Amino acid sequence: MSDPLVSRPANRDQASDRFFSAYDQLIHDTINYHHVPAVSVAVIDGDSTWLKAYGMAQVADELVQAEKVNTETLFNAGSMTKVFISAAISLLVDDDSFPEVQWSTPVSQLLRDDFVLSDSHATQVVTIEDILSHRSGLADQDDAFMGVHAKKPDTLKSVTRKLRYLPLAVPPRTKFLYCNAMYAVATYLIETLTNMPIRDFLRQRIWTPLGMKNTYFGLDDVIEHQLLNKVAKGYGWDNDKSSCFEVDHPRQPEAAGAGEMITTTGDYALFLRCMLQRTGPISAAGHEELVKPRMITDQDPNPFWSHQLYSMGLEIENYHGEQVIGHTGSTTGFACQMVFLPRKNWGFVIMGNTHVDVMGKTKIRWTLIDDLLEVPASKRFDWNAYAARLEKELEAATIEDLYPNLPDSRLPLTVPLTDYTGSYWHAGYEELTVDLESGRLEVDASDRCWRFKLLLEHISGQYFVAKKVDIDTREEDLLKAEFRIDSSGSVGQLGIAFVADSKDEIIWFDKIDS
């Protein structure tokens, strides 16, 4: 009896079915346990590529019928876009028409008026390879950027110009700090130098030469090609209802390059084969640079692993003596992973249509690698136990975590709650408006790149906790929040702990009306 959850095209690849038969049960069990509606998987093994898809690209409800996923289904690749931006810059480094573009070129020399950081020394020294290796000193501050729902959405240029108002967390090249904004800068750099939209440059210079005919940049590109029906629906998971819910496909052109690529596992496998065999359109020198480690990440090594290193859109580590190179991607409604082992001429891509699952895909990925390397059971990592431990460690912070030294007798508000309402301004984060709704202070930030709301709860004195609720994913987190009273007794500033990876985590907004 055929499995209704497995894609069965009429001209199915019998060899792929034979390869995946050993993993069908693992994949089914894993995606069911982790609430993943669908995954598409590609495995490169020498000269062969195996493809198979499992589950539903669209889940049935009272309005729509279920639709099975297949190997031609399109998924959002999230941060697995980043290595394509680095590869694109490698083409400019090799191009005699752009002699000024080298990995060690300071970005400010190429984007003189636009690329200015909050520290003048950092502005002068941060290079192309720094921004691609997450070692610029700027922590992730995606909440500063205005999305497509804003009255005036940010662009690649305006995101780049905003960086001068955002505090650096550390000096350049001293700490690995993942930063999506720097890939927006890199994309803006490519578009500025070539006078081409990034999707056209990638399509002409990388995708078409590799035969990647099912790859697009952003949802608008998909719509223009009239292929929206080929894109998997993205989903979240409601624990209370024990059911998935559909989310809107993310559209984040202001952060293009950090993500936005939409593709199939088969197309992405063509790129991995290029990386494995070091073929064109990337030069030999370009291949060498793309996998050269540039920074130690902050990830603690698991047993049998080395410390993880980072290049330019690629994570590099050793596992049981074998070099493993890859990256993950996650965005609203989608999560994916890719990895390749150069010495084994082997690669793996998995894409799914929910953002809530990371460990499930990780377990599938490393099970296949363990089998490839013939790792004995006693030396295989227990991903189930690790997932349970990680889930507990990643639980949202509590009020006590944020404010461990609260007084036994908490201080009352200094001024009436209505005095805290109004608009607040920060040059980098722009305007936040505090409203009073049902006796509680709230901020509607649905105009941001990642849409959210802040629900403020008074703790003591001028200190609050802001519950940050993602409007699309429904995920919640707690942040420190604080108001400052000026010398006249009026509310003068609002501070929100938007920068998690910095000792100066609080961003201060000035009150601009009453």
Side-chain angles (χ1 to χ4, degrees):
M1 181 177 178
S2 65
D3 190 333
L5 291 181
V6 178
S7 169
R8 300 288 187 185
N11 59 343
R12 71 182 186 182
D13 186 338
Q14 297 288 347
S16 288
D17 276 358
R18 286 195 297 272
F19 173 83
F20 280 107
S21 63
Y23 300 103
D24 285 341
Q25 194 63 50
L26 166 71
I27 295 173
H28 276 311
D29 291 347
T30 302
I31 66 175
N32 288 336
Y33 179 81
H34 290 278
H35 315 302
V36 185
V39 295
S40 181
V41 188
V43 174
I44 302 166
D45 189 5
D47 294 331
S48 300
T49 299
W50 319 121
L51 303 171
K52 198 165 186 177
Y54 303 77
M56 295 295 169
Q58 178 172 283
V59 177
D61 60 25
E62 62 273 13
L63 298 177
V64 299
Q65 292 183 334
E67 183 178 320
K68 287 198 295 185
V69 68
N70 60 62
T71 56
E72 298 298 308
T73 299
L74 295 165
F75 293 83
N76 192 307
S79 288
M80 280 166 38
T81 305
K82 288 182 169 71
V83 68
F84 283 85
I85 301 303
S86 299
I89 290 183
S90 81
L91 301 182
L92 300 185
V93 171
D94 292 337
D95 193 331
D96 291 339
S97 300
F98 303 99
E100 71 279 15
V101 180
Q102 302 296 322
W103 299 114
S104 58
T105 302
V107 180
S108 58
Q109 290 185 11
L110 303 172
L111 299 173
R112 293 186 180 276
D113 295 331
D114 292 329
F115 186 78
V116 178
L117 300 177
S118 60
D119 177 86
S120 59
H121 175 71
T123 301
Q124 294 172 9
V125 303
V126 166
T127 64
I128 291 175
E129 63 181 336
D130 290 334
I131 67 173
L132 297 176
S133 302
H134 301 304
R135 63 184 198 188
S136 68
L138 184 71
D140 227 353
Q141 298 190 52
D142 291 350
D143 292 334
F145 307 127
M146 311 303 285
V148 294
H149 298 282
K151 292 180 181 178
K152 186 179 179 181
D154 269 318
T155 63
L156 292 174
K157 180 175 182 176
S158 66
V159 165
T160 301
R161 292 186 63 84
K162 272 188 176 182
L163 301 187
R164 67 196 66 200
Y165 304 117
L166 304 182
L168 293 181
V170 295
R173 304 181 199 132
T174 60
K175 185 179 180 181
F176 178 83
L177 290 173
Y178 200 89
C179 184
N180 285 319
M182 287 302 176
Y183 270 82
V185 172
T187 304
Y188 177 54
L189 175 65
I190 295 168
E191 291 192 344
T192 300
L193 294 176
T194 64
N195 199 30
M196 292 176 66
I198 187 62
R199 70 179 188 181
D200 293 347
F201 186 88
L202 291 175
R203 183 164 284 124
Q204 291 181 24
R205 300 293 301 275
I206 297 178
W207 299 343
T208 297
L210 290 177
M212 296 174 65
K213 299 178 181 179
N214 296 313
T215 299
Y216 307 91
F217 204 91
L219 201 60
D220 289 344
D221 193 17
V222 174
I223 292 171
E224 288 177 22
H225 284 83
Q226 300 182 355
L227 292 171
L228 192 58
N229 63 321
K230 298 291 187 181
V231 181
K233 301 291 186 183
Y235 294 92
W237 179 257
D238 189 321
N239 278 320
D240 294 332
K241 296 180 179 179
S242 295
S243 63
C244 62
F245 58 90
E246 186 177 338
V247 297
D248 291 338
H249 195 108
R251 293 178 61 236
Q252 298 169 320
E254 70 282 356
E260 285 287 276
M261 208 169 88
I262 299 172
T263 187
T264 65
T265 51
D267 260 27
Y268 208 101
L270 293 172
F271 175 71
L272 288 194
R273 185 173 293 283
C274 164
M275 295 297 292
L276 282 166
Q277 299 178 354
R278 297 201 169 191
T279 59
I282 302 169
S283 69
H287 277 291
E288 193 71 30
E289 292 291 342
L290 288 176
V291 298
K292 183 170 76 175
R294 285 171 166 82
M295 200 66 185
I296 301 174
T297 73
D298 55 357
Q299 180 171 307
D300 292 330
N302 291 317
F304 316 119
W305 272 268
S306 67
H307 282 279
Q308 188 183 81
L309 307 175
Y310 200 89
S311 183
M312 299 184 293
L314 292 171
E315 298 161 343
I316 304 163
E317 53 202 334
N318 272 273
Y319 177 65
H320 287 294
E322 197 72 40
Q323 187 184 54
V324 179
I325 304 172
H327 209 278
T328 61
S330 182
T331 188
T332 303
F334 297 89
C336 51
Q337 298 189 19
M338 63 88 166
V339 66
F340 59 99
L341 282 66
R343 200 174 67 86
K344 294 292 186 180
N345 198 19
W346 188 93
F348 169 84
V349 187
I350 185 168
M351 295 180 172
N353 58 341
T354 181
H355 56 271
V356 298
D357 163 55
V358 175
M359 295 312 304
K361 296 181 184 67
T362 300
K363 178 182 178 180
I364 295 169
R365 161 187 175 178
W366 287 106
T367 298
L368 268 68
I369 291 175
D370 280 338
D371 288 352
L372 173 73
L373 301 181
E374 299 180 340
V375 176
S378 62
K379 293 186 177 181
R380 295 192 179 199
F381 190 67
D382 188 341
W383 287 106
N384 290 332
Y386 178 73
R389 186 172 74 251
L390 188 64
E391 183 176 353
K392 187 174 182 180
E393 291 174 356
L394 294 179
E395 289 178 354
T398 64
I399 294 174
E400 289 72 22
D401 292 331
L402 297 180
Y403 297 110
N405 300 314
L406 282 174
D408 294 333
S409 179
R410 300 187 184 183
L411 301 175
L413 290 169
T414 305
V415 297
L417 206 56
T418 53
D419 288 9
Y420 296 95
T421 62
S423 294
Y424 295 79
W425 177 264
H426 180 277
Y429 282 73
E430 300 189 38
E431 186 174 343
L432 288 182
T433 299
V434 179
D435 294 311
L436 186 60
E437 299 288 344
S438 303
R440 179 175 60 187
L441 298 176
E442 296 186 5
V443 175
D444 182 348
S446 57
D447 55 358
R448 304 287 152 161
C449 177
W450 305 100
R451 304 190 303 159
F452 63 91
K453 286 187 175 182
L454 296 177
L455 311 178
L456 276 65
E457 176 187 349
H458 178 244
I459 300 301
S460 182
Q462 305 310 320
Y463 294 94
F464 286 71
V465 163
K467 179 189 287 187
K468 183 182 181 185
V469 182
D470 188 295
I471 292 173
D472 295 299
T473 69
R474 307 180 192 175
E475 294 171 348
E476 298 179 358
D477 196 9
L478 295 183
L479 308 177
K480 288 182 181 179
E482 181 183 349
F483 289 91
R484 285 176 175 169
I485 308 298
D486 62 26
S487 58
S488 68
S490 300
V491 178
Q493 289 184 308
L494 164 64
I496 304 288
F498 279 131
V499 193
D501 294 313
S502 173
K503 64 179 181 180
D504 300 320
E505 60 181 353
I506 292 183
I507 299 294
W508 287 100
F509 296 76
D510 294 322
K511 200 165 193 288
I512 57 176
D513 68 23
S514 57

